[in-house]
Amino acid sequence: MVMLGVNQWQSSLRILSESVLSMGFMLEIFCRTNGSDDQNDSRASVKGESARLRHDHHGCCHQTMKSNNSHSQEEDLKKETSPTNSHITTLDSRFNQTLRNVQGLLKGRSFPGKVLITRRSDPPDGAILGSPGASRSPSEIDSPPNKHMDGPSEDQIRMNKPDTSTSGNKLKQSMSNPEDRSKEAPRFVMGARATDTARLVKFTKVLGGTTVILDKLRELAWSGVPPYLRPNVWRLLLGYAPPNSDRREGVLRRKRTEYLDCVAQYYDISDNERTDEEINMLRQIAVDCPRTVPDVTFFQQAAVQKSLERILYTWAIRHPASGYVQGINDLATPFLVVFLSEHLEGSIDNWSIADLDSEKISDVEADCYWCLSKLLDGMQDHYTFAQPGIQRLVFKLKELVRRIDEPVAKHIDGQGLEFLQFAFRWFNCLLIREIPFHLVTRLWDTYLAEGDALPDFLVYIFASFLLTWSDKLLKLDFQEMVMFLQHLPTNNWSHQELEMVLSRAFMWHTMFDSCPNHLAT
């Protein structure tokens, strides 16, 4: 009986070892487009699991040979029974632990944009490092613990015995301004990917240099930026702040002064000095500001609406080719929230702009104005007469959906629904009105990381967003589809759903963008 049990374990270990080797090969193929350190570490983790399984297998065989040599005498067999049972129990524990590790490896901690499968890194010396701020996605925080989650099991904790004090000291030495970080990190609930310890170290390394290498910063920011780093990262990604740290403070000071001069020249004047067109434009902005993000009480404060009005009117006057277009008011809100987060603590629901002095408010407005200008410079034809840029992208979206999910495309077309009827608002407001506002800044991390390629990448994001409900759409008629697409069920979305949308978008972009013939009619 003992020999039979050992043979069964041998067979199971051999099969699992071969499966792990296969998974290593699959991971290598799946992650071939990503050259990050995470990919190499993932393959190393899989190879390590396979090597350990082989070690267990050889150990099992060695134990079996010992049992055969002692089987000649009945007394020796009785003596061997207890150690063999102990060995099987130990083997069972190690087998279960290996299985849990493989499950965790397959599951990954999150679904980032450019690394679709990630691993839970095991720090040296068996220490488990905790991330400053939130270390789990909102979906994980809101739900009860699950035995299949990536967190360390009780067995792992007993085996690893982490030295938290040593790990904490190393982390503090690697990060700048630890006091500010401890204050600001809890402001927003972020997905685990954005606050992963290794990523924080990488962000600190990239931002700590005399000259920031923007390509590396874009690669990191694509998968999410920690909240307390986001203001500086966004300024750099948009080209508002220079990469050279020696010039940064002076450039920001000059730009903020220039914004104040523009406000004094164009906004702080009487209507007698404005043309009729400018008066009408200012009135339209004043009407739209109270409608901006109506489900967030912070934007209903009169002082906040006045700041938005100054930013939007100044931008419209200085960009006469497009002027003010409804929807641009939504695009200013992420910038306003991110730059105010440098001065206001806690939840946005408890913020009051009246707590800030006029100088800080002016600096925040200036940063919003210049970053909005940088963003819209790359897509200004989205807001010129007839908005030809948006119409062009809606046509590309229709073709992409037809290639990815032809049944859905045929159903939408068969019901007589035009993509322009629902996708126009998506491109006009960049999905701000379609998802919960607490997810907008995470989405915009990816937007800004794309840089000049953003308009084309929006097509893939919106295709992924639409096809999230492909099964549902196939069951709806025209009227039901219009109502559904106007009020999409995203109120309960967490970072996990958003990361899935971005992951699919990246995958399809990799498949189709380099092969334009795939999109040919």
Side-chain angles (χ1 to χ4, degrees):
M1 293 294 291
V2 173
M3 291 297 299
L4 180 60
V6 172
N7 289 334
Q8 290 177 344
W9 280 117
Q10 286 179 343
S11 177
S12 300
L13 285 171
R14 188 184 304 110
I15 294 172
L16 185 57
S17 177
E18 293 173 356
S19 300
V20 172
L21 288 174
S22 300
M23 286 186 290
F25 179 69
M26 292 171 63
L27 276 173
E28 184 173 358
I29 294 176
F30 192 74
C31 300
R32 64 186 183 278
T33 58
N34 188 304
S36 66
D37 295 337
D38 290 344
Q39 173 190 347
N40 297 329
D41 293 344
S42 297
R43 289 199 295 266
S45 298
V46 175
K47 292 178 180 176
E49 291 296 337
S50 178
R52 195 179 67 160
L53 285 171
R54 292 195 193 98
H55 177 73
D56 289 342
H57 176 63
H58 293 317
C60 179
C61 293
H62 179 67
Q63 186 68 28
T64 302
M65 292 175 63
K66 288 177 62 180
S67 179
N68 287 334
N69 291 333
S70 62
H71 188 66
S72 60
Q73 297 182 1
E74 184 177 356
E75 292 181 359
D76 293 339
L77 178 61
K78 292 180 180 180
K79 292 180 181 179
E80 289 293 335
T81 300
S82 178
T84 303
N85 290 336
S86 176
H87 174 74
I88 292 176
T89 302
T90 304
L91 188 59
D92 178 71
S93 176
R94 298 180 68 182
F95 177 82
N96 290 333
Q97 182 61 44
T98 300
L99 184 59
R100 283 195 296 270
N101 290 344
V102 172
Q103 288 174 339
L105 179 65
L106 287 176
K107 180 179 179 180
R109 181 168 4 185
S110 64
F111 288 89
K114 293 195 175 183
V115 183
L116 301 184
I117 296 182
T118 62
R119 54 70 181 111
R120 177 175 56 79
S121 58
D122 293 325
D125 301 329
I128 298 176
L129 296 179
S131 302
S135 61
R136 294 187 296 164
S137 66
S139 60
E140 295 171 328
I141 293 173
D142 295 337
S143 60
N146 189 312
K147 64 181 179 180
H148 297 298
M149 297 296 284
D150 282 339
S153 64
E154 294 180 0
D155 294 337
Q156 288 173 308
I157 294 174
R158 287 195 295 268
M159 293 170 62
N160 291 330
K161 296 181 181 179
D163 185 358
T164 54
S165 60
T166 304
S167 302
N169 292 336
K170 290 181 180 179
L171 183 60
K172 289 180 181 178
Q173 293 174 2
S174 65
M175 299 297 293
S176 60
N177 300 327
E179 296 180 358
D180 295 340
R181 184 179 71 255
S182 62
K183 292 180 181 178
E184 299 189 26
R187 289 180 182 170
F188 299 93
V189 179
M190 289 296 297
R193 181 66 180 172
T195 55
D196 182 76
T197 303
R199 285 173 50 76
L200 289 172
V201 173
K202 291 178 182 178
F203 268 110
T204 304
K205 183 178 180 180
V206 171
L207 295 173
T210 303
T211 301
V212 175
I213 302 176
L214 293 180
D215 287 342
K216 291 184 178 180
L217 184 61
R218 292 185 190 281
E219 183 178 353
L220 285 172
W222 205 102
S223 297
V225 181
Y228 65 96
L229 295 176
R230 186 171 281 133
N232 288 329
V233 171
W234 281 20
R235 293 187 189 104
L236 289 165
L237 291 177
L238 286 163
Y240 169 46
N244 189 295
S245 59
D246 295 334
R247 298 180 52 239
R248 199 169 299 154
E249 185 177 351
V251 170
L252 292 180
R253 189 184 307 113
R254 176 172 57 83
K255 287 289 189 179
R256 289 165 178 170
T257 301
E258 185 178 344
Y259 169 76
L260 289 177
D261 293 341
C262 291
V263 170
Q265 181 179 354
Y266 301 122
Y267 183 82
D268 295 333
I269 59 176
S270 65
D271 287 347
N272 295 331
E273 301 179 60
R274 295 188 175 98
T275 64
D276 292 341
E277 183 179 357
E278 292 171 349
I279 292 174
N280 291 333
M281 183 167 58
L282 181 57
R283 287 176 180 172
Q284 183 62 55
I285 293 173
V287 169
D288 287 346
C289 284
R291 301 173 180 172
T292 304
V293 197
D295 55 333
V296 178
T297 56
F298 170 74
F299 289 102
Q300 305 311 309
Q301 298 178 28
V304 174
Q305 295 176 6
K306 204 66 177 177
S307 291
L308 274 176
E309 187 176 298
R310 279 192 291 268
I311 294 168
L312 296 172
Y313 182 78
T314 304
W315 184 88
I317 291 295
R318 297 198 62 180
H319 295 80
S322 61
Y324 173 73
V325 177
Q326 286 180 314
I328 297 180
N329 55 313
D330 292 283
L331 304 186
T333 57
F335 296 122
L336 190 61
V337 168
V338 166
F339 295 132
L340 279 172
S341 70
E342 292 182 295
H343 309 289
L344 297 174
E345 297 182 0
S347 170
I348 186 176
D349 296 327
N350 300 324
W351 283 4
S352 175
I353 199 171
D355 295 339
L356 302 180
D357 57 47
S358 58
E359 182 179 357
K360 289 181 179 179
I361 294 175
S362 296
D363 289 347
V364 169
E365 286 184 19
D367 291 353
C368 291
Y369 168 81
W370 289 112
C371 287
L372 179 66
S373 299
K374 295 288 187 179
L375 175 70
L376 295 181
D377 283 349
M379 53 178 68
Q380 196 160 356
D381 61 345
H382 290 203
Y383 303 99
T384 54
F385 177 73
Q387 299 178 268
I390 291 181
Q391 295 194 48
R392 181 181 68 253
L393 294 181
V394 170
F395 175 78
K396 288 185 176 181
L397 174 63
K398 181 178 180 180
E399 288 300 304
L400 181 61
V401 170
R402 183 175 65 86
R403 285 294 180 179
I404 295 172
D405 198 329
E406 189 172 4
V408 171
K410 285 186 175 180
H411 180 70
I412 293 175
D413 186 62
Q415 292 295 323
L417 179 63
E418 294 293 335
F419 274 70
L420 203 62
Q421 292 176 263
F422 62 88
F424 180 85
R425 187 174 75 179
W426 298 1
F427 285 101
N428 196 51
C429 303
L430 301 185
L431 288 187
I432 288 178
R433 299 185 185 181
E434 316 307 323
I435 63 175
F437 191 74
H438 69 90
L439 298 178
V440 168
T441 50
R442 165 62 193 95
L443 176 62
W444 278 50
D445 290 338
T446 299
Y447 283 173
L448 303 187
E450 282 292 323
D452 295 336
L454 174 60
D456 289 332
F457 191 68
L458 288 174
V459 176
Y460 294 90
I461 294 179
F462 296 170
S464 177
F465 184 68
L466 173 66
L467 294 178
T468 300
W469 299 279
S470 57
D471 294 338
K472 174 75 172 178
L473 293 172
L474 291 172
K475 302 175 184 178
L476 303 179
D477 60 23
F478 174 82
Q479 188 64 32
E480 293 170 335
M481 215 176 329
V482 170
M483 295 300 297
F484 179 77
L485 291 171
Q486 290 294 325
H487 304 88
L488 290 167
T490 60
N491 290 335
N492 296 324
W493 269 29
S494 66
H495 284 83
Q496 183 177 4
E497 287 81 7
L498 180 60
E499 297 291 351
M500 286 298 299
V501 169
L502 294 175
S503 297
R504 287 194 301 264
F506 174 76
M507 179 181 66
W508 292 336
H509 180 267
T510 303
M511 291 171 58
F512 291 105
D513 191 62
S514 300
C515 305
N517 289 336
H518 289 179
L519 295 175
T521 304

